[in-house]
Amino acid sequence: MSKHTPQPQSVFDSALLRGALIDSLKKLDPRTLWRNPVMLCVEIASLITLVTFTMSLTGANNEPAWFTGAVSIWLWLTVIFSTFAEALAEGRGKARAASLRKSRTDVTAKRLDKAEFGQNYTTVGASQLRKGDLVLVEANDMIAGDGDVIAGAALVNESAVTGESAPVIRESGGDRSAVTGGTTVISGNIIVRITANPGETFLDKMIGLIEGAKRRKTPNEVALEVLLIALTLVFLLVCANISPLSIYSVKAAGQGTPVSLTILVALFVCLAPTTIAALLPAIGIAGMDRLFQKNVIALSGRAIEAAGDVNVLLLDKTGTITHGNREAVAFVPVGGHNERELAEAALMASLADETPEGRSVVLLARQQYGLNRETPTDGELVEFSADTRLSGLNLEGTRYRKGASDATIAFVKKQGASAIPVDLAGVVDRIARAGATPLVVSKGSEILGVINLKDIVKAGIQERFLRLRSMGIKTVMITGDNPLTAAAIAAEAQVDDFLAQARPEEKLRLIREYQEQGYMVAMTGDGTNDAPALAQADVAVAMNTGTQPAREAANIIDLDSNPTKLLDIVEVGKQILMTRGNLTTFSISNDIAKYFAIIPAALLSIYPQLAALNVMQLTSPFSAILSAVIFNAIIIPMLVPLALKGTGFRPMPAEKLLIHNLLIYGVGGIIAPFVGIKAIDMVIGLVV
Amino acid sequence: MNPYELLQTIVFFITLLVLIKPLGSYMARIFQGERTFLSPIMTPCENLVYRISGVNPEDEMGWRRYAGAMLLFNLALFVSLFVMLLTQHLLPLNPQKVPPFTWQLALNTAISFTTNTNWQAYVGEQAVSYFTQMAGLAVHNFVSAATGLVIAIAVIRGFVRRKTSQLGNFWVDLTRCTLYILLPISMIFSLVLVSQGVIQNFSAYRNLPLVQSTSYDKPKLDDKGAPLKDAKGNPVVESVPVKEVQIPMGPVASQEAIKELGTNGGGFFNANSAHPFENPTPLSNFIEILLILLIPGALTYTFGVMVGNTRQGWALLGVMLLILITAFAVLQWAESSGNPLVVKQGIQSINMEGKEVRNGLAGSNLFTVATTGTSCGAVNSMHDSLTPLGGMVPLSLILLGEIIFGGVGSGLYTMLAFAIIAVFVSGLMIGRTPEYLGKKIEVREMWMSILVILTAGVTVLILSGIAMITPTAVASMANPGAHGLSEVLYGLASVSNNNGSAFAGLNANVNFYNLLGSLAMTLGRYVPAIAVLAMAGSLAEKKFIPPSLGTLPTDKAPFALWLTLVILIVGALTFFPALALGPIVEHLMMVS
């Protein structure tokens, strides 16, 4: 299967940069910027410095014009860096959206009045289709809108949506009836009932999400913004407070000048949590984009962040934990027969059996015993029926059968068997207890032995569950098997718990129970019978191959239809939160150094003794303040790659993770600006 | 620190720690409505209170009703004290015939005692009758402390309860708090203090002959009351002989224990706990410091018991102890190093100015950090006389928001608000929606926590800015320059954070400070109180999230250290410029 995963774009792609630059200037409009109140404050601060700069030029302000001018430029750059970060993150999404949109242009549809082939159709534009309309899609047509196949079957190329070049089958009834607008039918004819109005289709939603146009702030983001606004307000008051305090101090000390407006504004911008506020929108957008690179579409930012909090993951057994089908792994003879005898009979009984289980018996017999028989032409095939619950082959008067233990016993007794081998019950019981399925094989009226049919747990699945467990996520397997089988598979796959003989309402009840206990529940599913449970789960991942109801109930759609994708989704969710938290800590830790740069500089004329606080030995008050402002501005573009990529995540206990991040972003956040400001001051010293 | 002082300090902290668990679990039993050894005596009293007041003790309240009852009760307290102060000359037990308060001072004082601030812009022994002291101020000492405590209990219930809007009954909590906790402890310790020599009587003030008479110079005034000047322009003075001294009396002991226990701090006398009738011996000093820290400390254990994990309480106590002991060490260092100006003369001496010799350096310093770390505000030494860096210690403890043990109840709930902020940021840093004690921290909790921790700081920033450019406010300073700025900053920090101690230099009985102070005390008390109750209401309605591997443990050292850092960083970032222009520059000027 070949895949074309969306190209991971480099952060600094030149075309992208150019577009982002233009957008970043457009975003300076206060009507756009008010969504980021902290940066709006910085913009106002920049305007104020522009005024003080013009006053310097006209002589109304006795600060040197180079100083007020430089401060003003750097404050403007602070705002622009912030809007640039956001524009860059959006730009990456926009480029993807544009490629998606191409697949949608000028589609026409063949509208039908009745759901029958061979009717006359009217050709209409895709935009005229409404929910409930019936359309005919023939080979090489593009499907005009989201819908359900209600008649026929077709091979559909969905690469426009999934990036998957291998076509998939879509047919009426069952779990494969959903089709997506923008995909192309390769062969076959189908009639589709449209399920979404134009503008509301899956592709539309996807484009909207990727572009970030519909992005709403998540509760976590709002809560963080509350904190940032509060801090900004406090720093505004701190700076406002310095003015009267310095006026008093000038009188008390009998020398110096009160702190100027330019310096107060500069101090305010330096103290305000501009680093995190500037990068906050970019972090969320980039997170969605990273998920998209992994072929996952999150229908809301909230769902991704909720994924970071998941403590319970419900997984459908089939196709997730085990390969879809059971396989024969051993032949166990009974009643004194040998293995080869049994293998031969099993092979005969399965030759006509086209089910995956049947094929696996044939395969095992061939591989282990070198038996090779073509399906005999003169034999009479006995297909599995609900009555006999047996399948097999009648050849030259010999009846080969295989089936459940009780069914086979009943069959051989009818054939006149004198006795059932005494060790049969023991073998059947042992296999069932181990979670496998025993299939009893008979030849004529004799029972030869048992085929051990086993669910094969996917390779490497244990490590994935281990990784989930180390993140604090409990895995629960959901299966229709009986509890015995389920327990054995659960033990082998090392899931934490299982729900056996699960019916849809039981899945729903289980999710509700977990939620009642306060857990965040994630569920992966694809079938229509999963839809209620998906709707109830906090994080619902639907496979793209799933049915329309399943996809509608979900808030995350996995285009690869790989159920263990949740691991990636959880990681991205956590990364988004961590990046925000780490940058907040970094931003606030920075303030300590900025105080030590600006406060002595601002108050030096009043109290020369405060030079003792100039621990960085900055050359002059003007240079000190300018250095802090420049550091505050350039740290934003320097951190853009981090904001877009997210901080690294390795599963480890919460406490360790906290210490790890505190050391990097907390302690680092205290030290970095001391170094940075000193370096910038030295450069300014060379220039001025 | 000499070995004796070191021993005294160690014994003090051990005693405190030993008492925290028994008192803490006792308080938990009280607020969970369980029986205690006092029940046989107190239950009848309790039921009598409910019968008289018509309270149905089974009636649970949502946060709005709880806050409403609290505000109504406090309004009644305010009005009763305000009226009493204005009419005390008409009321009994006034042997000194003290006149009524002016309305501005009465307003300030009534708000001050209702809000548990106990800022005193009056002189106790000159301005207040025994009736007002006992029926007014002492009663307020009990119930204002109880108000703070029950709010904290309601907040704890918010964390403990699940999917309910009910936080308990304010009247029941208030009654039980007063009857079972504050009254019994105060009664015992009043008697202990009497044993040390604290007075308790209704006598008129006594005039005693001095063993050695003395005299002082008094400027002569002309007919209009202006000072007379001689030909050279110097004031003309006359010598006034002093043969007698007036000794104030009063029912001091009954008010003294609750003054500390309720972290009120309003002294019977102006000299507060430096006065020998309030705090006569080193032992009484030891007990008074202990009483200041007792309930706020024990409440952390109560919190732990009620949330079902006592380690959560110990973690908060650890943060408080860490900062308190650090503050004490810095203060002790600054004061032992002596006044830099004196040291510069080549005289190495500790700074005993403004301290009582019987309390000693460590006994004074420990009292200072205890009274400012909590919102008590009683003093046994003059904070104005501390060295600049030494004076910055109590000032900083107040500016941190009164959480280092903090006021009775208010200390814990403000600390919990800090914990929520700390949990929020650290929760993000580990990639989870932040949760504390199994409750998710969302937008509403953030808003409320921020209101709780920043109201006082914002008030200080705004008011100190106004004060420094208001001539009457500046004129109240006793010292010019940076020290004067410290005095104003300290005074406004004290009222905004409901501490009530003063840097002592400032003349606070002027309309500017009386009125702005009243506003600051009201905002500083009720905005956080209402916000924290609103938060409790929303927390109680949330479901409980069981901890998993991915949950950040908040009962272990790393989180406690992070919380400590958050507290210190928020404090430092908010007040660094003001401190730089006050105590820091004063120190730098002294040493340079």
Side-chain angles (χ1 to χ4, degrees), chain B residues 551-568:
Chain B
T551 315
L552 178 72
T554 50
D555 56 352
K556 298 217 179 101
F559 178 75
L561 282 175
W562 166 240
L563 176 58
T564 311
L565 270 178
V566 168
I567 291 167
L568 294 179

mmCIF file of all heavy atoms in Angstrom, chain B residues 551-568:
data_model
loop_
_atom_site.group_PDB
_atom_site.id
_atom_site.type_symbol
_atom_site.label_atom_id
_atom_site.label_comp_id
_atom_site.label_asym_id
_atom_site.label_seq_id
_atom_site.Cartn_x
_atom_site.Cartn_y
_atom_site.Cartn_z
ATOM 1 N N THR B 551 -1.329 12.151 36.562
ATOM 2 C CA THR B 551 -1.718 13.266 37.419
ATOM 3 C C THR B 551 -0.510 13.756 38.199
ATOM 4 O O THR B 551 0.263 12.961 38.708
ATOM 5 C CB THR B 551 -2.792 12.810 38.426
ATOM 6 O OG1 THR B 551 -3.750 12.039 37.732
ATOM 7 C CG2 THR B 551 -3.456 13.993 39.079
ATOM 8 N N LEU B 552 -0.380 15.066 38.294
ATOM 9 C CA LEU B 552 0.731 15.624 39.059
ATOM 10 C C LEU B 552 0.408 15.501 40.541
ATOM 11 O O LEU B 552 -0.593 16.027 41.006
ATOM 12 C CB LEU B 552 0.917 17.099 38.681
ATOM 13 C CG LEU B 552 2.033 17.791 39.451
ATOM 14 C CD1 LEU B 552 3.376 17.299 38.971
ATOM 15 C CD2 LEU B 552 1.922 19.283 39.289
ATOM 16 N N PRO B 553 1.251 14.808 41.314
ATOM 17 C CA PRO B 553 0.970 14.732 42.746
ATOM 18 C C PRO B 553 1.213 16.101 43.402
ATOM 19 O O PRO B 553 2.282 16.686 43.227
ATOM 20 C CB PRO B 553 1.962 13.687 43.255
ATOM 21 C CG PRO B 553 2.854 13.345 42.135
ATOM 22 C CD PRO B 553 2.461 14.095 40.916
ATOM 23 N N THR B 554 0.214 16.594 44.122
ATOM 24 C CA THR B 554 0.361 17.907 44.741
ATOM 25 C C THR B 554 0.708 17.778 46.213
ATOM 26 O O THR B 554 0.666 18.742 46.941
ATOM 27 C CB THR B 554 -0.921 18.730 44.593
ATOM 28 O OG1 THR B 554 -2.020 17.913 45.033
ATOM 29 C CG2 THR B 554 -1.148 19.152 43.177
ATOM 30 N N ASP B 555 1.017 16.564 46.637
ATOM 31 C CA ASP B 555 1.345 16.381 48.053
ATOM 32 C C ASP B 555 2.799 16.000 48.245
ATOM 33 O O ASP B 555 3.170 15.427 49.237
ATOM 34 C CB ASP B 555 0.424 15.316 48.663
ATOM 35 C CG ASP B 555 0.496 13.995 47.915
ATOM 36 O OD1 ASP B 555 1.144 13.956 46.850
ATOM 37 O OD2 ASP B 555 -0.088 13.011 48.390
ATOM 38 N N LYS B 556 3.617 16.327 47.241
ATOM 39 C CA LYS B 556 5.025 15.956 47.344
ATOM 40 C C LYS B 556 5.913 17.185 47.181
ATOM 41 O O LYS B 556 5.469 18.243 46.749
ATOM 42 C CB LYS B 556 5.376 14.928 46.260
ATOM 43 C CG LYS B 556 4.587 13.635 46.402
ATOM 44 C CD LYS B 556 5.449 12.428 46.042
ATOM 45 C CE LYS B 556 4.687 11.139 46.206
ATOM 46 N NZ LYS B 556 4.194 10.609 44.938
ATOM 47 N N ALA B 557 7.184 16.968 47.487
ATOM 48 C CA ALA B 557 8.131 18.085 47.523
ATOM 49 C C ALA B 557 8.232 18.877 46.216
ATOM 50 O O ALA B 557 8.243 20.109 46.265
ATOM 51 C CB ALA B 557 9.499 17.582 47.953
ATOM 52 N N PRO B 558 8.306 18.246 45.048
ATOM 53 C CA PRO B 558 8.476 19.072 43.842
ATOM 54 C C PRO B 558 7.364 20.097 43.654
ATOM 55 O O PRO B 558 7.627 21.251 43.343
ATOM 56 C CB PRO B 558 8.466 18.037 42.702
ATOM 57 C CG PRO B 558 8.918 16.783 43.332
ATOM 58 C CD PRO B 558 8.403 16.802 44.739
ATOM 59 N N PHE B 559 6.121 19.661 43.884
ATOM 60 C CA PHE B 559 5.039 20.635 43.732
ATOM 61 C C PHE B 559 5.133 21.715 44.801
ATOM 62 O O PHE B 559 4.913 22.900 44.519
ATOM 63 C CB PHE B 559 3.671 19.961 43.784
ATOM 64 C CG PHE B 559 2.545 20.950 43.687
ATOM 65 C CD1 PHE B 559 2.239 21.533 42.475
ATOM 66 C CD2 PHE B 559 1.837 21.331 44.812
ATOM 67 C CE1 PHE B 559 1.234 22.478 42.378
ATOM 68 C CE2 PHE B 559 0.822 22.286 44.721
ATOM 69 C CZ PHE B 559 0.529 22.852 43.500
ATOM 70 N N ALA B 560 5.464 21.319 46.042
ATOM 71 C CA ALA B 560 5.561 22.304 47.117
ATOM 72 C C ALA B 560 6.611 23.358 46.772
ATOM 73 O O ALA B 560 6.401 24.563 46.975
ATOM 74 C CB ALA B 560 5.893 21.619 48.431
ATOM 75 N N LEU B 561 7.729 22.908 46.210
ATOM 76 C CA LEU B 561 8.776 23.861 45.831
ATOM 77 C C LEU B 561 8.308 24.775 44.701
ATOM 78 O O LEU B 561 8.573 25.980 44.696
ATOM 79 C CB LEU B 561 10.036 23.115 45.393
ATOM 80 C CG LEU B 561 10.881 22.575 46.542
ATOM 81 C CD1 LEU B 561 12.033 21.745 46.003
ATOM 82 C CD2 LEU B 561 11.416 23.722 47.396
ATOM 83 N N TRP B 562 7.600 24.193 43.753
ATOM 84 C CA TRP B 562 7.085 24.976 42.635
ATOM 85 C C TRP B 562 6.097 26.024 43.153
ATOM 86 O O TRP B 562 6.131 27.181 42.745
ATOM 87 C CB TRP B 562 6.423 24.028 41.624
ATOM 88 C CG TRP B 562 5.570 24.682 40.594
ATOM 89 C CD1 TRP B 562 4.240 24.478 40.379
ATOM 90 C CD2 TRP B 562 5.969 25.649 39.606
ATOM 91 N NE1 TRP B 562 3.800 25.239 39.343
ATOM 92 C CE2 TRP B 562 4.827 25.973 38.846
ATOM 93 C CE3 TRP B 562 7.180 26.278 39.313
ATOM 94 C CZ2 TRP B 562 4.850 26.894 37.810
ATOM 95 C CZ3 TRP B 562 7.205 27.196 38.269
ATOM 96 C CH2 TRP B 562 6.061 27.485 37.542
ATOM 97 N N LEU B 563 5.240 25.612 44.090
ATOM 98 C CA LEU B 563 4.279 26.549 44.680
ATOM 99 C C LEU B 563 5.021 27.689 45.380
ATOM 100 O O LEU B 563 4.674 28.867 45.225
ATOM 101 C CB LEU B 563 3.373 25.798 45.655
ATOM 102 C CG LEU B 563 2.364 26.617 46.450
ATOM 103 C CD1 LEU B 563 1.432 27.371 45.515
ATOM 104 C CD2 LEU B 563 1.525 25.703 47.353
ATOM 105 N N THR B 564 6.083 27.327 46.112
ATOM 106 C CA THR B 564 6.885 28.344 46.786
ATOM 107 C C THR B 564 7.432 29.346 45.772
ATOM 108 O O THR B 564 7.370 30.564 45.977
ATOM 109 C CB THR B 564 8.060 27.675 47.531
ATOM 110 O OG1 THR B 564 7.547 26.588 48.293
ATOM 111 C CG2 THR B 564 8.763 28.654 48.442
ATOM 112 N N LEU B 565 7.949 28.801 44.664
ATOM 113 C CA LEU B 565 8.502 29.671 43.631
ATOM 114 C C LEU B 565 7.442 30.590 43.043
ATOM 115 O O LEU B 565 7.686 31.781 42.831
ATOM 116 C CB LEU B 565 9.091 28.814 42.503
ATOM 117 C CG LEU B 565 10.547 28.439 42.650
ATOM 118 C CD1 LEU B 565 10.953 27.550 41.486
ATOM 119 C CD2 LEU B 565 11.390 29.706 42.653
ATOM 120 N N VAL B 566 6.264 30.024 42.769
ATOM 121 C CA VAL B 566 5.195 30.834 42.185
ATOM 122 C C VAL B 566 4.858 31.995 43.127
ATOM 123 O O VAL B 566 4.738 33.151 42.708
ATOM 124 C CB VAL B 566 3.939 29.974 41.914
ATOM 125 C CG1 VAL B 566 2.741 30.848 41.579
ATOM 126 C CG2 VAL B 566 4.212 29.007 40.775
ATOM 127 N N ILE B 567 4.744 31.686 44.422
ATOM 128 C CA ILE B 567 4.410 32.717 45.402
ATOM 129 C C ILE B 567 5.471 33.813 45.399
ATOM 130 O O ILE B 567 5.170 35.007 45.327
ATOM 131 C CB ILE B 567 4.302 32.086 46.802
ATOM 132 C CG1 ILE B 567 3.081 31.179 46.872
ATOM 133 C CG2 ILE B 567 4.249 33.153 47.879
ATOM 134 C CD1 ILE B 567 3.058 30.275 48.083
ATOM 135 N N LEU B 568 6.739 33.376 45.452
ATOM 136 C CA LEU B 568 7.817 34.360 45.532
ATOM 137 C C LEU B 568 7.928 35.170 44.244
ATOM 138 O O LEU B 568 8.145 36.382 44.277
ATOM 139 C CB LEU B 568 9.150 33.657 45.833
ATOM 140 C CG LEU B 568 9.217 32.987 47.215
ATOM 141 C CD1 LEU B 568 10.555 32.294 47.416
ATOM 142 C CD2 LEU B 568 8.980 34.000 48.329
#
